[in-house]
Amino acid sequence: MRVLIVEDEEQLADAVARGLRLHAMAVDVAYDGQEALERASYTDYDVVVLDRDLPEVHGDDVCGELTRRSRILMLTAAGQVRDKVDGLSLGADDYLVKPFAFAELVARIRTLARRTSPAAPPAMERAGIRLDPARRTVTRDGRPVSLSRKEFDLLRELLRAQGALVTSAELRRKVWDEYAATDTSVLRVTMTALRRKLGTPALVENVPGKGYRL
């Protein structure tokens, strides 16, 4: 799940982002409305957590632009009924008033993301590997393979490529958020663990300086 936090209080935005990452969400942060629109122009977000009172471009205008692309959760100090009605009428899918319980924020984001997600695709198979996205299970030649969330996501991207090369940069972008995407060691360590768990003979080929393919 990929989430964009749009909040001009940088300390709050960063704290929320850190918390959501601990819940296995890929999180980007924008500190003003213009930055939010720029990020959304090249990244697809499942959920946008949006403050209304933003510099550069007001949150209401950001909501109007993004509501057709992502689920919008307005997170704001304006908690009167008329404020909620206004926010929802702009196209927001949900509305949470500050201060808030973090557990409730996580639950609301997950609920919105479920509305965004299409029906689970069928299981993918290649070279004896079978990955079931709905059940989040993996087998090799019928033998169960226990993977972490990131290992599973990496394998899914390699299977989607159907044997084509997937660059390291593309894997980092799709499996991690920008917080980790520049750290090349994260991909290398996770890929090493994935290859070990898949067993022998090795199925994931490393093309030095370029990427990986299954």
Side-chain angles (χ1 to χ4, degrees):
M1 181 196 315
R2 195 166 193 115
V3 179
L4 176 63
I5 305 296
V6 190
E7 169 63 63
D8 63 328
E9 294 182 35
E10 296 188 15
Q11 224 173 2
L12 173 61
D14 294 343
V16 170
R18 285 193 300 271
L20 294 181
R21 289 180 185 123
L22 293 176
H23 287 268
M25 300 182 196
V27 187
D28 295 335
V29 178
Y31 301 120
D32 61 63
Q34 183 60 46
E35 184 182 5
L37 293 176
E38 290 171 359
R39 288 186 178 280
S41 69
Y42 57 81
T43 301
D44 294 325
Y45 293 102
D46 299 299
V47 179
V48 176
V49 180
L50 178 67
D51 187 20
R52 288 188 74 178
D53 190 15
L54 293 170
E56 304 299 331
V57 178
H58 195 275
D60 292 354
D61 297 323
V62 174
C63 181
E65 286 292 325
L66 301 187
T67 189
R68 294 180 297 277
R69 304 182 229 167
S70 306
R71 297 292 182 179
I72 307 292
L73 169 59
M74 281 194 168
L75 185 63
T76 175
Q80 298 298 319
V81 171
R82 64 176 179 273
D83 296 316
K84 297 179 182 180
V85 171
D86 288 345
L88 294 171
S89 67
L90 289 166
D93 299 280
D94 200 357
Y95 199 106
L96 186 59
V97 178
K98 302 174 187 175
F100 56 90
F102 188 76
E104 182 179 3
L105 174 63
V106 171
R108 286 174 182 259
I109 289 174
R110 286 180 170 161
T111 297
L112 291 179
R114 284 197 294 270
R115 296 183 200 169
T116 305
S117 301
M124 294 180 279
E125 297 187 49
R126 185 177 182 85
I129 297 293
R130 187 176 192 276
L131 181 148
D132 188 329
R135 295 181 175 84
R136 292 194 69 85
T137 58
V138 174
T139 59
R140 178 173 183 178
D141 299 326
R143 173 182 60 85
V145 180
S146 179
L147 300 179
S148 71
R149 182 181 295 270
K150 293 303 183 185
E151 292 160 1
F152 183 94
D153 292 344
L154 269 183
L155 180 58
R156 180 171 52 189
E157 293 304 324
L158 292 172
L159 284 165
R160 281 174 175 167
Q162 299 183 334
L165 179 75
V166 187
T167 67
S168 299
E170 187 175 5
L171 286 171
R172 291 196 301 271
R173 180 175 61 83
K174 289 184 175 180
V175 178
W176 287 272
D177 56 30
E178 65 174 2
Y179 181 75
T182 57
D183 185 354
T184 57
S185 66
V186 171
L187 171 60
R188 186 173 63 254
V189 169
T190 308
M191 187 64 77
T192 298
L194 171 62
R195 297 171 81 181
R196 175 176 52 79
K197 290 181 179 181
L198 290 177
T200 56
L203 294 177
V204 180
E205 179 187 1
N206 177 16
V207 181
K210 294 184 178 180
Y212 300 85
R213 62 178 162 226
L214 184 65

